[in-house]
């Protein structure tokens, strides 16, 4: 069951990044070149808590 969950998680959130400003979800494979679709802010974090800043 755990494996299945991980796969689903990756599929759901693998390309999802959260805007640091307005917390909008942005689906992209290249966050470095992507601005928030909502506010245009160039600061996206991965949905998973892998990156700490
Ligand atoms: Zn935003």
């Amino acid at each position: 069951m755990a494996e299945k969950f991980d796969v689903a998680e990756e599929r759901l959130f693998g390309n999802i990044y959260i805007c640091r400003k307005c917390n909008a979800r942005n689906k992209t494979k290249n966050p470095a070149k992507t601005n928030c679709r909502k506010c245009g802010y160039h600061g996206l974090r991965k949905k998973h808590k892998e990156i700490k800043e």
Side-chain angles (χ1 to χ4, degrees), residues 32-51:
K33 291 185 178 178
T34 304
N35 290 342
C36 173
R37 62 179 167 81
K38 211 171 178 182
C39 72
Y41 184 68
H42 190 78
L44 304 178
R45 64 170 175 82
K46 211 168 191 307
K47 184 156 174 63
H48 280 299
K49 293 173 183 173
E50 297 171 352
I51 303 168

Side-chain angles (χ1 to χ4, degrees), residues 8-40:
E9 276 263 294
E10 182 61 31
R11 196 192 305 156
L12 282 172
F13 303 123
N15 297 328
I16 302 293
Y17 291 82
I18 309 297
C19 175
R20 291 179 188 274
K21 198 173 183 181
C22 72
N23 291 321
R25 274 182 294 175
N26 293 266
K27 192 175 185 184
T28 176
K29 287 182 179 178
N30 197 345
K33 291 185 178 178
T34 304
N35 290 342
C36 173
R37 62 179 167 81
K38 211 171 178 182
C39 72

